[in-house]
Amino acid sequence: MSPARQSPTNRFDAGFTILEVLVALAIVAVAVVAIGSVMSTNARGVRALESRVALMQTAQTVLATEVPPRKELRPGVLTGQLHDFRWQIDIGPVGGDWIVDNADVAWMPELVKVRVRAASGAAVELETVRLMQRPRQ
């Protein structure tokens, strides 16, 4: 018969020391904290991006639905609220010498500014130019 062998678990140097376990645990803890920090930063970025997209979509909706049609377009200010967003539309001259006296022109350009502000304070402004019927003289 062969002499009895010691199994690897019965040897005096088998397994890990408490120091090795603590070092491994510390490495795992640092990795978990780093991953948590990255996930937290990513979540904040996603929330900020989602709120910006909602703000831009609201501004585009206001521009498409609340600006009067050309026949009814008049200089002035319009205000309102859509969901949690407050909006303001300013309609005024484009600037420069667009109006020519005694000209036979039925339309003139008007600058349309759409400002939308979220409850959080974030704001966006869109500008476009629309043609407006020239007032009869």
Side-chain angles (χ1 to χ4, degrees):
M1 296 226 48
S2 64
R5 292 185 170 183
Q6 281 187 331
S7 70
T9 58
N10 291 338
R11 293 187 349 222
F12 70 93
D13 61 346
F16 298 104
T17 65
I18 190 74
L19 184 59
E20 292 169 332
V21 170
L22 289 175
V23 168
L25 188 60
I27 292 171
V28 169
V30 167
V32 167
V33 167
I35 291 171
S37 174
V38 167
M39 294 298 292
S40 173
T41 301
N42 189 22
R44 278 193 305 268
V46 167
R47 279 193 301 275
L49 184 60
E50 286 174 345
S51 65
R52 179 73 176 170
V53 166
L55 187 64
M56 289 301 294
Q57 286 176 338
T58 303
Q60 289 175 345
T61 300
V62 168
L63 184 63
T65 61
E66 300 297 332
V67 174
R70 284 187 182 153
K71 291 181 182 178
E72 301 169 12
L73 193 65
R74 301 286 176 259
V77 177
L78 304 169
T79 59
Q81 186 165 347
L82 182 64
H83 305 295
D84 292 335
F85 300 95
R86 298 211 35 88
W87 56 266
Q88 177 179 335
I89 300 173
D90 293 324
I91 303 169
V94 173
D97 295 329
W98 287 96
I99 299 175
V100 178
D101 292 331
N102 301 324
D104 188 24
V105 179
W107 300 90
M108 60 184 190
E110 290 290 320
L111 181 63
V112 177
K113 291 182 183 179
V114 176
R115 290 183 191 90
V116 178
R117 182 174 300 278
S120 66
V124 67
E125 182 175 313
L126 299 178
E127 292 183 359
T128 187
V129 175
R130 296 278 171 98
L131 290 177
M132 182 177 98
Q133 273 191 323
R134 184 176 180 169
R136 303 280 180 220
Q137 294 179 355

